[in-house]
Amino acid sequence: MPRLLIVKLGAIGDVVMAIPGAYAMHREGYAVDWVCNTVVAPILQLYPWIHVIPVDEKALLHSGKTKGLRVMMTVWRLLAGRKYDVCATLYYDARYKLLTLPVRAPRKVMLSRTERATQLLPGRHHTDEYARILLGRKDGETPSQLAPIVVSGPAQNVLPPKGDKPRIALVPGGARNMMRDDALRRWPLESYVELAKLLLAKGCEVVLCGGMDDRWVSDAFTSLEVTNCIATMSLVQQIGAFNEIDVTVTHDTGPLHLAGITSTAVVAIFGPTDPRGRLPQRTNCVALWGGEGFACRPCYDGRDYAPCEHNGCVRQITPAMALGEVEALLVARREGRELLPRVRTPKHTPVPALVQLEGARP
């Protein structure tokens, strides 16, 4: 049996978007080993066809040379003697290539900013691009619109039993990992609070989701009758919870991609990043992309953002717009209809004035 080694430690969204490419290799007969960080390891372990090799990424990159070398040598010992047909380091940063020094493989792949064949090309979905690179396909043979691989393994739900009310999840934090805080990706906290008020007035149940680093958002919701699950669930439990959620509203952050591998419908809010490369490519997922007409949008180049103080692109999306998409998804669910994934952009109107979506209902 041919063997594939993937080195993709994190973050959550990048790992989830690389899974369909790994699955395509698995379907072609490859055994898949995956070097990942300890944070995302529980997610990958939900897929029984992936053999997970966890690494303490924080110790590897941020705990000094001595500790980092120890972690590196541990990985080398685990990989030494293993034979692979394909070794794919899905990074541009050459430091990650050091993890595979003991590996001998006829085909070794690493992302490149100069070689088209191994570059994540702009305007294409990251999921399709990872698959193209792993499969070694030419541009004309690029996989298209690969859907997320829905979790088939156990994922414990910790939410209380669902009643008759529509259950809506809000993810107001996120956009942060051990490398940095990407605050420009976040929809403003006050917009999430206003949306929560609108949903409660419509008779919905509102659940707040997020990790340990998102506790700072909780105080903004203390006066509202919401179910606050922030910092109470593991990633696997959060996946289980999303399967009990009717619609999830979030911005471009890790939980968006966790929601993508579950049954929840998704309203995703984008600004500096391009949703055409990141929105889960499955039914009942819609992106609201602010900043139409802004010369700087999208400003994220894969490494950095343009200098920005007002974050006008995401602020252009109003709570009323998000509510309208939530209601449309709830109606479709009640009627048993599946809505195709889509990206919607507001007409160019100065922020913070009310903006109307193109083609939106009056």
Side-chain angles (χ1 to χ4, degrees):
M1 176 183 289
R3 301 189 65 84
L4 163 68
L5 175 65
I6 294 176
V7 176
K8 189 63 175 175
L9 278 64
I12 293 171
D14 292 323
V15 166
V16 171
M17 286 189 288
I19 291 173
Y23 185 64
M25 294 289 280
H26 168 67
R27 292 191 64 180
E28 293 200 355
Y30 282 80
V32 179
D33 289 359
W34 194 313
V35 178
C36 66
N37 68 36
T38 52
V39 174
V40 302
I43 301 171
L44 292 176
Q45 287 166 345
L46 293 173
Y47 299 92
W49 47 272
I50 298 177
H51 174 251
V52 177
I53 304 172
V55 173
D56 186 344
E57 186 177 13
K58 185 175 182 180
L60 178 67
L61 299 177
H62 304 286
S63 298
K65 292 183 178 179
T66 301
K67 194 168 183 179
L69 182 58
R70 286 200 205 101
V71 174
M72 185 87 68
M73 293 178 68
T74 299
V75 178
W76 288 346
R77 284 194 295 270
L78 290 171
L79 296 178
R82 297 194 185 192
K83 295 182 179 179
Y84 293 98
D85 297 270
V86 181
C87 174
T89 304
L90 299 179
Y91 286 99
Y92 291 106
D93 189 335
R95 291 179 299 171
Y96 291 94
K97 193 175 182 180
L98 295 174
L99 286 168
T100 65
L101 277 180
V103 175
R104 297 293 177 262
R107 179 170 170 250
K108 296 190 83 168
V109 178
M110 183 168 184
L111 299 188
S112 168
R113 296 193 183 278
T114 57
E115 298 293 331
R116 181 181 178 89
T118 51
Q119 184 179 16
L120 298 174
L121 298 176
R124 296 183 183 174
H125 201 284
H126 282 23
T127 294
D128 298 339
E129 285 294 276
Y130 282 131
R132 174 180 64 83
I133 292 167
L134 287 172
L135 292 164
R137 300 285 172 81
K138 298 178 181 178
D139 279 356
E141 302 170 338
T142 299
S144 178
Q145 296 184 325
L146 292 181
I149 306 301
V150 175
V151 169
S152 56
Q156 179 188 5
N157 171 42
V158 296
L159 294 179
K162 189 175 181 296
D164 296 332
K165 295 180 178 180
R167 179 177 274 176
I168 313 300
L170 305 183
V171 188
R176 174 185 291 153
N177 57 42
M178 67 180 67
M179 301 297 287
R180 65 181 180 182
D181 182 2
D182 289 345
L184 289 177
R185 294 188 184 191
R186 290 193 202 105
W187 200 35
L189 182 57
E190 58 269 24
S191 295
Y192 277 107
V193 173
E194 181 60 27
L195 177 59
K197 293 177 181 178
L198 293 173
L199 290 167
L200 291 170
K202 293 283 186 178
C204 296
E205 176 191 357
V206 176
V207 178
L208 304 181
C209 294
M212 294 295 293
D213 293 336
D214 300 328
R215 289 173 290 183
W216 61 274
V217 307
S218 294
D219 288 348
F221 296 88
T222 52
S223 63
L224 303 179
E225 293 185 9
V226 301
T227 302
N228 190 347
C229 293
I230 291 174
T232 66
M233 296 186 288
S234 68
L235 290 181
V236 172
Q237 289 172 331
Q238 191 159 301
I239 290 171
F242 281 141
N243 277 320
E244 301 298 321
I245 297 291
D246 293 305
V247 183
T248 297
V249 181
T250 181
H251 43 268
D252 182 14
T253 184
L256 164 63
H257 301 280
L258 294 183
I261 59 176
T262 71
S263 60
T264 184
V266 175
V267 176
I269 295 162
F270 284 81
T273 55
D274 189 341
R276 295 170 299 183
R278 293 170 175 82
L279 180 71
Q281 298 180 118
R282 67 160 174 83
T283 57
N284 301 326
C285 288
V286 58
L288 297 176
W289 193 15
E292 177 73 5
F294 287 22
C296 55
R297 187 202 75 164
C299 69
Y300 183 61
D301 63 4
R303 288 180 293 185
D304 299 302
Y305 300 84
C308 181
E309 295 181 358
H310 58 83
N311 212 18
C313 51
V314 292
R315 289 182 177 275
Q316 199 177 56
I317 304 300
T318 67
M321 290 178 191
L323 176 65
E325 297 302 327
V326 169
E327 291 180 320
L329 288 165
L330 289 174
V331 169
R333 176 174 289 240
R334 286 196 297 269
E335 296 176 351
R337 293 184 290 114
E338 301 285 335
L339 301 180
L340 293 175
R342 61 204 186 280
V343 176
R344 308 193 69 186
T345 58
K347 293 179 180 178
H348 179 47
T349 305
V351 176
L354 179 66
V355 289
Q356 296 292 326
L357 286 171
E358 294 177 350
R361 298 177 302 278

